[in-house]
Amino acid sequence: MTNEREKIMLNIRILGSGNAGQVPVWGCDCAACERAKQDDTFRRGPCSLEIRTELGVTLIDAGITNLAERYEFDEIQRIILTHFHMDHVQGLFHLRWSERPEKIPIFRPDDQKGTDDLYKHAGVLDFQPAFIPFKTMQFDDFSITPLPLLHSKITLGYFIEKNGFTLAYLTDTVGLPETTQAYLTNKTLDYLILDCSEPPTSTAPRNHNDINLALLAYNTLQPKTMILTHISHRLDCWLMEHGDSLPDNMLIAKDGMTVI
């Protein structure tokens, strides 16, 4: 089985790169929102990630509302949630009413409330026992380790590993807990995909990183490549003027962007 597992491909794509307001923001006429209205490639949907292997698709978060149009039922192997804020789970409210007899496993943080009535009326969604932070789960196609984050709701980031390839997906968070930072400091990160919702701020941001905190994480964890995601229109405006000031290996996520 080990040899077969090692042969499995791993393709990773950013499905959505925006914050809760997305880009363009409704009713906004800032430069970033006007650009996104004119050019769809600058639009940003709810922050989420797709991992595709020969065994199927793993979604990290389900905030995109047309998942049923994007994927056949049999494609989705599992869904992994970072947390239960609506912009990360709203796509589940449609999927759950499928009348297929099979279930889709949903992996999650230990949040007893969840969102609305998702636990009570789960439909085809098969909520798994809550992840235990730092306890690695080995799937048939890759391993994943849940990492606590700092947010207004119980939230996990994920360290993904396969055959020496490593990727940390950390959204939503403002800074990192000491335990998570210590865990990642001992890893060689091929990719660090990090929440960065805001341009540099003079006061400490709440719930999400700004550019200052993202640069601190970059210098501390020293990933080979860093990708900023969960981006607001305010950060997009800043990037239009200052994007060249970021390190060469710090990229800005876009919807549909292929990571590997």
Side-chain angles (χ1 to χ4, degrees):
M1 184 62 195
T2 300
N3 290 336
E4 293 302 315
R5 180 180 294 161
E6 290 176 352
K7 294 177 183 176
I8 295 173
M9 70 173 188
L10 192 68
N11 293 333
I12 298 177
R13 186 166 66 108
I14 291 172
L15 283 184
S17 60
N19 69 345
Q22 306 179 48
V23 180
V25 174
W26 187 44
C28 182
D29 57 1
C30 75
C33 289
E34 289 298 319
R35 181 181 63 174
K37 293 172 190 172
Q38 299 298 320
D39 186 343
D40 286 348
T41 64
F42 290 102
R43 288 178 175 265
R44 299 189 184 278
C47 194
S48 52
L49 194 75
E50 174 199 88
I51 302 172
R52 184 181 290 273
T53 75
E54 289 96 334
L55 303 182
V57 168
T58 297
L59 298 177
I60 298 188
D61 284 336
I64 291 175
T65 54
N66 66 346
L67 291 174
E69 298 173 15
R70 292 176 179 237
Y71 300 102
E72 297 295 331
F73 186 98
D74 294 323
E75 278 188 279
I76 299 180
Q77 189 179 24
R78 63 182 77 91
I79 298 175
I80 297 170
L81 302 178
T82 60
H83 64 301
F84 282 88
H85 274 154
M86 191 60 79
D87 58 315
H88 292 257
V89 301
Q90 58 195 350
L92 297 178
F93 285 83
H94 180 197
L95 299 185
R96 64 175 168 170
W97 298 124
S98 171
E99 296 194 4
R100 286 284 292 267
E102 301 93 338
K103 301 289 186 180
I104 299 173
I106 310 293
F107 297 88
R108 61 187 176 89
D110 189 11
D111 187 332
Q112 300 301 312
K113 291 185 177 179
T115 301
D116 200 62
D117 62 353
L118 270 178
Y119 287 155
K120 184 177 181 180
H121 301 294
V124 299
L125 309 179
D126 184 16
F127 286 97
Q128 302 294 302
F131 272 136
I132 299 173
F134 303 108
K135 184 176 181 179
T136 299
M137 175 168 283
Q138 180 64 60
F139 297 129
D140 286 338
D141 38 5
F142 58 88
S143 69
I144 188 164
T145 304
L147 306 173
L149 297 179
L150 297 171
H151 197 45
S152 57
K153 205 165 175 56
I154 299 170
T155 303
L156 294 174
Y158 295 104
F159 177 73
I160 296 162
E161 192 170 20
K162 176 179 170 55
N163 297 340
F165 168 81
T166 60
L167 180 149
Y169 186 72
L170 310 178
T171 177
D172 303 20
T173 191
V174 56
L176 294 175
E178 290 183 4
T179 51
T180 294
Q181 181 167 308
Y183 180 91
L184 292 174
T185 300
N186 290 321
K187 303 291 185 183
T188 298
L189 292 175
D190 292 311
Y191 288 90
L192 169 59
I193 303 177
L194 182 71
D195 175 324
C196 184
S197 294
E198 302 296 337
T201 57
S202 57
T203 58
R206 294 180 58 198
N207 292 323
H208 296 281
N209 290 329
D210 67 350
I211 285 289
N212 292 331
L213 285 174
L215 287 169
L216 177 62
Y218 171 83
N219 291 322
T220 302
L221 301 179
Q222 299 183 3
K224 294 178 182 176
T225 301
M226 186 163 173
I227 301 174
L228 305 183
T229 192
H230 207 282
I231 293 167
S232 72
H233 67 138
R234 293 178 293 275
L235 177 54
D236 263 340
C237 285
W238 184 87
L239 289 168
M240 291 170 75
E241 296 185 6
H242 305 285
D244 292 343
S245 65
L246 298 177
D248 290 340
N249 62 340
M250 183 178 287
L251 310 179
I252 308 303
K254 298 189 76 169
D255 289 17
M257 175 181 178
T258 297
V259 178
I260 61 168

